[in-house]
Amino acid sequence: MWRSPEPRFDVASAICQGGRDYQEDAIVTDFPFGSDSGVVVLADGMGGHAAGDVASKIVVTEVFSELKFESANFADFEGEIPRFLTEAAANANSYVREHVQAHPETRGMGATLVSVVLVENRMYWMSIGDSPLYHYRNGTMKQLNEDHSMAPQIDFMVQQGLLDEAAGKNHPDRNCLTSVILGDRVTKSDCPKAPFELQVGDIVVVSSDGLQYLEDAKIQKILHRYRRKKAAEIAGYLLEAIEALADPDQDNCTFSVIKLNHNKPVIRAIRAKPVGHVDHQTSTVTRVVELDDIEKVAAKAKKPKEVAAMSAPTVIKEVRPLKKVELNDETDLTQEVDAAEPPAKIAAGGK
């Protein structure tokens, strides 16, 4: 039986509203089959209804549109990807500022950002805020990006014995952000210039902080148990675990699961153009023509016989009106006849 080739990346995304009244997370993934690169952009909004959801959509839309525009250059200018990521985040911040200026009632809205670009087995990212980027390999999961919230400082205080573990875990300032896209100066960002190299079988999870309602050990256990499953199945099991918590304070939870299926070199059957090759216009070249030239273009495409047929005089046959008459009173048989024929002629059978 014929089987389609396995894609380099196996990707699945999931989103749930949790216990919130509205959805402030937004995510876009783009991994075209046949391409050696892909993009994930995730934003977690803040600022309440009609503000946080708007901020996350602005950030995701602007960052993704710029990365998609540059995606054709990922392979040839891979070293420029960190710059692409940085400029996309900066422009998204500018768009948020413009929106707040135009709508003062939304002042205070903002969003976190995690944008990821993968080229073959190499991963680049830009993150602002506390949305985590997890990596799983050989039974161990760790967070790759920086956490721009008070959580690391509170955890450090716990390690130093200044706070007990329960107080640190439930600290009211734990989720306070130290950096976020607000349309103002971004105080911190995480965008390494060197890529993180993935191995076949690795799992990457790009997530909003809503997934952190699960303990890291629980997330790691799910990734390990279902590491041989498809990305969509892993995403489903993570959602099941979130729902099983039944936490009334559950935050919006959005994430994308990415698996590296293989790292084989791409063999392209279509040859590259030789040096000095000159393109010639052919029927397969897409062109734009003026409306006045459509008839000329159509005439060129017609065969000689069709052109001759078009030039021959057109004969229009005479069309006469018809009407139905009964042939026999005892039956319902009718016949269409010329409406101009006299009734007597019709009764005589047309003679």
Side-chain angles (χ1 to χ4, degrees):
M1 179 183 293
W2 181 85
R3 295 181 62 186
S4 63
E6 190 175 38
R8 183 183 298 273
F9 305 108
D10 179 15
V11 185
S13 298
I15 187 167
C16 74
Q17 191 165 315
R20 298 291 192 258
D21 294 330
Y22 36 84
Q23 178 61 259
E24 291 186 304
D25 291 355
I27 188 171
V28 174
T29 62
D30 184 50
F31 287 81
F33 196 176
S35 173
D36 293 327
S37 63
V39 173
V40 180
V41 182
L42 181 146
D44 182 356
M46 53 171 282
H49 187 50
D53 59 332
V54 174
S56 64
K57 290 171 185 174
I58 290 175
V59 170
V60 164
T61 300
E62 298 305 325
V63 172
F64 174 73
S65 63
E66 293 207 25
L67 293 179
K68 185 63 177 179
F69 184 81
E70 298 290 355
S71 61
N73 300 318
F74 287 166
D76 295 332
F77 300 96
E78 186 174 333
E80 296 296 311
I81 291 178
R83 180 174 65 82
F84 296 155
L85 289 164
T86 302
E87 291 180 355
N91 289 335
N93 189 50
S94 298
Y95 277 104
V96 171
R97 178 168 59 250
E98 291 175 6
H99 183 87
V100 171
Q101 290 173 349
H103 305 276
E105 69 277 7
T106 63
R107 185 171 301 278
M109 78 174 191
T112 68
L113 168 67
V114 181
S115 52
V116 176
V117 172
L118 289 105
V119 181
E120 295 181 348
N121 69 322
R122 299 174 295 281
M123 182 170 66
Y124 302 83
W125 72 81
M126 156 64 77
S127 69
I128 299 171
D130 63 347
S131 295
L133 173 63
Y134 292 121
H135 171 255
Y136 168 86
R137 178 186 293 169
N138 297 331
T140 302
M141 184 194 77
K142 65 178 180 178
Q143 182 173 339
L144 296 180
N145 62 334
E146 297 174 359
D147 184 346
H148 300 148
S149 73
M150 290 298 295
Q153 286 83 351
I154 292 173
D155 290 340
F156 178 75
M157 294 173 68
V158 172
Q159 293 173 4
Q160 296 298 312
L162 301 176
L163 282 175
D164 60 58
E165 187 173 351
K169 182 179 178 180
N170 300 309
H171 198 285
D173 294 335
R174 187 172 185 84
N175 293 324
C176 290
L177 297 175
T178 57
S179 185
V180 68
I181 295 179
L182 284 167
D184 202 347
R185 186 176 69 90
V186 176
T187 56
K188 293 182 181 179
S189 63
D190 182 18
C191 186
K193 293 184 177 179
F196 182 87
E197 293 196 4
L198 300 176
Q199 297 178 6
V200 176
D202 283 5
I203 302 174
V204 174
V205 180
V206 185
S207 173
S208 65
D209 66 338
L211 187 62
Q212 293 179 321
Y213 277 65
L214 295 174
E215 298 286 346
D216 284 359
K218 178 65 175 179
I219 300 173
Q220 176 177 290
K221 183 177 181 180
I222 292 172
L223 296 181
H224 180 70
R225 177 178 296 176
Y226 304 109
R227 64 191 181 279
R228 293 187 177 87
K229 300 290 185 179
K230 295 293 185 182
E233 295 179 81
I234 296 174
Y237 287 120
L238 288 172
L239 272 185
E240 281 185 4
I242 286 288
E243 292 174 356
L245 289 177
D247 190 333
D249 296 324
Q250 173 66 49
D251 195 2
N252 302 148
C253 180
T254 302
F255 55 88
S256 183
V257 177
I258 307 164
K259 293 185 66 179
L260 182 66
N261 286 331
H262 68 80
N263 194 31
K264 301 174 185 176
V266 175
I267 300 175
R268 304 193 185 279
I270 300 176
R271 293 175 297 171
K273 292 180 182 179
V275 178
H277 175 79
V278 179
D279 287 328
H280 298 283
Q281 277 196 353
T282 65
S283 58
T284 59
V285 176
T286 302
R287 293 177 294 134
V288 178
V289 296
E290 299 293 336
L291 289 176
D292 296 339
D293 296 333
I294 289 179
E295 293 183 0
K296 297 177 183 178
V297 174
K300 290 180 182 178
K302 292 185 179 296
K303 297 179 181 178
K305 289 183 179 180
E306 294 175 338
V307 175
M310 288 184 62
S311 60
T314 303
V315 178
I316 301 177
K317 295 183 179 180
E318 183 181 0
V319 179
R320 297 182 178 182
L322 300 177
K323 67 178 181 179
K324 289 185 178 182
V325 297
E326 293 185 359
L327 297 180
N328 193 325
D329 293 338
E330 297 179 358
T331 64
D332 293 331
L333 293 176
T334 62
Q335 178 181 344
E336 288 186 346
V337 300
D338 191 338
E341 293 287 351
K345 190 173 182 180
I346 296 171
K351 297 179 181 179

